[in-house]
């Protein structure tokens, strides 16, 4: 009967451990999942150097490729930040979509990022005029 | 009794298969994420079912603490286990959907973190129940813990509205194509039926378990 309790105690302890880690570890120093460009700009010097997540919309016409890196501008209503990332953009990446990038603001004012995540908004629409968007065309081509 | 459970369970599974076939065939692809949107037809209903089930846990906990009738403890036991199963399923579906759309299986954004806290809290209560021998104490302790743990349910629901997160917000009426909404509502119905069936089946099991425990 004592032995039958051991798995339960182990599960209980791991749960307490993971909850503690969640409460004090991963979220402890930074309760905000990402900063908007305005918030990063408002932090001024504070924004430079530290590892943060930056979230906003990819500015139309700003996406270009520099060697192996993708460069684009992330904007919100008030501010914009230029981002350079070595990450391979997820399939849904496009101009106007929400993104979250992880990295830090360099001394040259460009946000250097190793990680690029794409947000999906809460709208679900059928393809207009019966055609799929460019993303789908790209995926069909195996890109 | 068992035969009725088998028949209704088979029917519930059949209905769910029907809902899933509808999700794969009746809905158009989404304009940006194409066929990946089909995961939404089971992900959203499972999220609803998980949070509703944990709310059943809350009701059962209050019921037990105020009446001390064993039925409430059976319901508590059943809803804890069904809710945890749904919560794990929810996270797996989210990961499978998140990797091709977001570009990651997991990230510590408010929604994903709060779901993890919610599922782990209730899993912890299941563990607590397993190592308390006295049925009366087991019922009371797990009921008290369940009331505390339920706080994670509204937090999970509302966090995307008020905090920056990678996970999208709730879709308002009208922001989803009607031909997708129909399929989503159908699946919400079938997942709810399946969840109710699991609750009934697990409730009966809990009743038999306690009876055996008291007899020995």
């Amino acid at each position: 009967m004592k032995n039958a309790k051991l798995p339960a105690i182990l599960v209980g302890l791991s749960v307490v451990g993971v909850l503690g880690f969640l409460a004090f570890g991963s979220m402890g120093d930074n309760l905000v999942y990402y900063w908007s460009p305005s918030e990063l700009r408002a932090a001024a010097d504070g924004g430079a150097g530290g590892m943060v997540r930056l979230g906003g919309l990819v500015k139309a016409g700003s996406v270009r490729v520099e060697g192996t890196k993708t460069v684009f501008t992330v904007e919100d209503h008030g501010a914009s930040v230029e981002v350079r990332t070595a990450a391979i953009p997820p399939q849904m990446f496009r101009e106007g979509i929400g993104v979250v990038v992880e990295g830090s603001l360099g001394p040259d004012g460009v946000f250097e990022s190793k990680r690029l995540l794409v947000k999906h908004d809460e709208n679900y629409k059928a393809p207009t005029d019966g055609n799929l968007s460019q993303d789908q065309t790209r995926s069909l081509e195996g890109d | 009794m068992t035969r009725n459970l088998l028949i209704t369970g088979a029917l519930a599974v059949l209905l769910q298969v029907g809902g899933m076939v509808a999700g794969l065939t009746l809905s158009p692809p989404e304009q940006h994420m194409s066929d990946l949107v089909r995961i939404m037809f089971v992900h959203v209903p499972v999220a609803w079912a998980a949070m509703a089930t944990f709310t059943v846990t809350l009701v059962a906990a209050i019921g037990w603490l105020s009446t001390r009738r064993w039925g409430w403890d059976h319901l508590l036991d059943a809803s804890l286990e069904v809710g945890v199963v749904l919560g794990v399923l929810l996270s797996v579906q989210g990961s499978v959907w998140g990797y091709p759309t977001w570009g990651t299986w997991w990230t510590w954004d408010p929604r994903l973190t709060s779901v993890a806290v919610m599922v782990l809290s209730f899993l912890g209560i299941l563990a607590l129940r397993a190592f308390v021998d006295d049925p009366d104490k087991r019922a009371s302790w797990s009921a008290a813990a369940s009331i505390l743990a339920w706080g994670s349910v509204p937090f999970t629901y509302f966090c995307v509205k008020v905090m920056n997160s990678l996970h999208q917000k709730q879709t308002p009426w009208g922001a989803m194509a009607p031909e997708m909404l129909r399929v989503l509502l159908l699946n919400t119905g079938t997942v709810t039926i399946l969840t109710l069936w699991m609750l009934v089946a697990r409730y009966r099991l809990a009743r038999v378990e306690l009876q055996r425990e008291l007899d020995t």
Side-chain angles (χ1 to χ4, degrees):
Chain A
M1 201 58 209
K2 282 276 175 231
N3 283 342
K5 283 187 190 175
L6 191 63
I9 292 170
L10 288 178
V11 170
L13 284 177
S14 356
V15 165
V16 169
V18 173
L19 287 178
F21 169 76
L22 290 184
F24 303 110
S26 64
M27 299 204 61
D29 53 345
N30 200 349
L31 272 170
V32 180
Y33 180 67
Y34 65 76
W35 294 25
S36 67
S38 305
E39 286 161 344
L40 192 70
R41 289 284 179 225
D45 321 350
M51 282 289 288
V52 289
R53 289 193 194 93
L54 171 71
L57 299 177
V58 177
K59 189 178 176 182
S62 74
V63 182
R64 63 180 197 276
V65 175
E66 279 181 9
T68 58
K69 296 192 171 178
T70 310
V71 182
F72 53 93
T73 304
V74 171
E75 61 177 3
D76 61 3
H77 296 300
S80 63
V81 174
E82 189 165 37
V83 175
R84 182 161 49 220
T85 181
I88 297 164
Q91 197 173 297
M92 282 178 58
F93 180 79
R94 64 182 184 277
E95 288 170 2
I97 200 171
V99 289
V100 174
V101 284
E102 283 178 20
S104 55
L105 196 59
D108 58 348
V110 177
F111 191 94
E112 287 285 348
S113 157
K114 287 201 175 107
R115 198 146 187 240
L116 166 61
L117 303 177
V118 163
K119 275 187 77 149
H120 180 260
D121 66 17
E122 59 274 25
N123 297 302
Y124 298 88
K125 292 280 169 264
T128 45
D129 68 19
N131 289 318
L132 292 165
S133 76
Q134 291 225 311
D135 310 309
Q136 175 61 7
T137 320
R138 225 171 43 164
S139 86
L140 289 174
E141 285 163 359
D143 184 77
Chain B
M1 281 300 191
T2 319
R3 197 162 148 260
N4 286 345
L5 264 186
L6 271 177
I7 293 167
T8 48
L11 282 175
V13 169
L14 269 179
L15 277 175
Q16 185 53 51
V17 169
M20 282 152 61
V21 169
L24 293 172
T25 56
L26 295 185
S27 163
E30 208 268 343
Q31 59 173 346
H32 297 306
M33 67 169 78
S34 75
D35 285 328
L36 290 171
V37 73
R38 302 181 195 285
I39 298 171
M40 185 264 293
F41 299 129
V42 284
H43 185 63
V44 174
V46 167
W48 138 255
M51 290 196 275
T53 302
F54 287 137
T55 305
V56 170
T57 308
L58 173 75
V59 172
I62 295 169
W64 164 260
L65 290 177
S66 49
T67 68
R68 305 270 155 181
R69 293 170 86 111
W70 284 109
W72 291 117
D73 184 59
H74 303 331
L75 187 60
L76 184 83
D77 200 7
S79 59
L80 275 172
E81 210 168 287
V82 172
V84 167
V85 167
L86 289 169
V88 170
L89 179 62
L90 177 68
S91 308
V92 171
Q93 293 171 332
S95 274
V96 170
W97 194 8
Y99 186 70
T101 49
W102 295 339
T104 187
W105 298 103
W106 184 268
T107 181
W108 294 107
D109 93 328
R111 172 53 75 75
L112 275 61
T113 306
S114 61
V115 165
V117 168
M118 178 175 82
V119 175
L120 286 172
S121 302
F122 288 106
L123 181 66
I125 299 171
L126 273 178
L128 170 77
R129 286 183 69 88
F131 65 82
V132 179
D133 281 336
D134 176 10
D136 205 69
K137 276 183 187 158
R138 180 169 61 217
S140 297
W141 292 358
S142 58
S146 296
I147 292 171
L148 273 178
W150 185 82
S152 62
V153 174
F155 186 86
T156 299
Y157 183 81
F158 287 109
C159 67
V160 288
K161 288 184 194 277
V162 292
M163 295 169 87
N164 287 347
S165 55
L166 185 64
H167 194 286
Q168 60 266 43
K169 294 182 173 69
Q170 285 84 3
T171 299
W173 290 107
M176 184 182 293
E179 55 269 50
M180 293 180 190
L181 184 62
R182 276 201 296 271
V183 175
L184 176 60
L185 291 176
L186 172 69
N187 275 279
T188 305
T190 56
V191 168
T192 305
I193 290 170
L194 198 56
T195 303
L196 285 172
W197 181 85
M198 287 193 286
L199 282 171
V200 170
R202 187 62 186 81
Y203 178 100
R204 293 189 178 183
L205 192 59
R207 196 169 54 191
V208 174
E209 273 175 352
L210 186 76
Q211 203 55 54
R212 291 234 173 126
E213 215 181 324
L214 295 178
D215 287 348
T216 49

